[in-house]
């Protein structure tokens, strides 16, 4: 195992079933270590050209290690009212195929408002459409990664 994997194993209680690591979006040595140590990788993309352009570098790192549960891609902060967002989503669907999750997390100002008020999104906007989609993501992860 890599130095990162060894450190995670040392720091994680033995009965831990899931460990989530939110890594920086840029490709770096740190990101490479995280990806290569993971059993599953969820790549978060924004519906813009910048995210689209980083996919080849991410896929190069993903190809270095076989993960038991693979990887998936998710579009976050999707605003279907914007032509650019819809166009990027269509391009990502064509490029990534089944690796792109069949749902997106919509753009929702409630997240920023909750952060500004130091509340969870559950407390601030329990009926948020984006929160419902996050719950859908949690269910997908349970079915396809945790219980797989």
């Amino acid at each position: 195992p890599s130095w990162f994997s060894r450190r995670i194993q040392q720091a994680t209680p033995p009965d831990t079933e899931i460990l989530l690591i939110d890594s920086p979006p840029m490709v770096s040595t740190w990101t490479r270590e995280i990806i290569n140590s993971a059993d599953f990788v969820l790549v978060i993309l924004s519906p813009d050209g910048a995210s689209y352009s980083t996919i080849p570098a991410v896929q190069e790192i993903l190809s270095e290690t076989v993960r038991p549960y693979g990887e998936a891609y998710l579009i976050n902060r999707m605003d279907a009212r914007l032509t650019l967002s819809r166009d990027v989503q269509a391009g990502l669907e064509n490029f990534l195929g089944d690796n792109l999750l069949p749902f997106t997390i919509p753009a929702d100002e409630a997240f920023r408002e909750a952060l500004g008020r130091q509340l969870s999104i559950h407390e601030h906007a329990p009926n948020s459409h984006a929160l419902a989609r996050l719950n859908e993501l949690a269910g997908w992860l349970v079915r396809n990664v945790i219980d797989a």
Side-chain angles (χ1 to χ4, degrees):
S2 70
W3 63 267
F4 181 77
S5 294
R6 288 191 302 276
R7 293 295 304 225
I8 290 296
Q9 289 170 355
Q10 293 168 354
T12 305
D15 59 343
T16 301
E17 292 186 37
I18 299 173
L19 177 65
L20 297 175
I21 299 174
D22 184 6
S23 73
M26 66 259 177
V27 175
S28 66
T29 302
W30 176 248
T31 308
R32 185 179 300 275
E33 284 292 326
I34 291 170
I35 289 173
N36 287 333
S37 299
D39 291 335
F40 173 76
V41 174
L42 180 61
V43 181
I44 307 298
L45 302 168
S46 296
D48 58 33
S51 283
Y52 196 88
S53 68
T54 63
I55 293 172
V58 171
Q59 287 182 324
E60 180 183 329
I61 296 171
L62 290 170
S63 70
E64 294 173 5
T65 305
V66 175
R67 276 162 296 291
Y69 303 105
E71 61 269 349
Y73 295 80
L74 174 69
I75 299 174
N76 188 32
R77 295 188 308 255
M78 178 66 186
D79 188 343
R81 299 171 301 170
L82 301 177
T83 302
L84 176 62
S85 294
R86 292 190 312 270
D87 289 349
V88 170
Q89 181 181 19
L92 290 170
E93 288 170 353
N94 287 333
F95 186 68
L96 297 170
D98 290 339
N99 286 331
L100 182 65
L101 294 184
F103 52 88
T104 65
I105 306 299
D108 190 339
E109 199 61 31
F111 283 98
R112 290 184 187 154
E113 294 167 358
L115 182 62
R117 294 185 173 135
Q118 296 183 338
L119 298 171
S120 72
I121 189 67
H122 292 82
E123 295 167 308
H124 177 67
N127 297 319
S128 161
H129 184 60
L131 178 57
R133 288 296 179 89
L134 284 174
N135 288 331
E136 186 177 351
L137 171 61
W140 186 93
L141 288 169
V142 167
R143 289 186 308 278
N144 293 281
V145 178
I146 297 167
D147 289 343

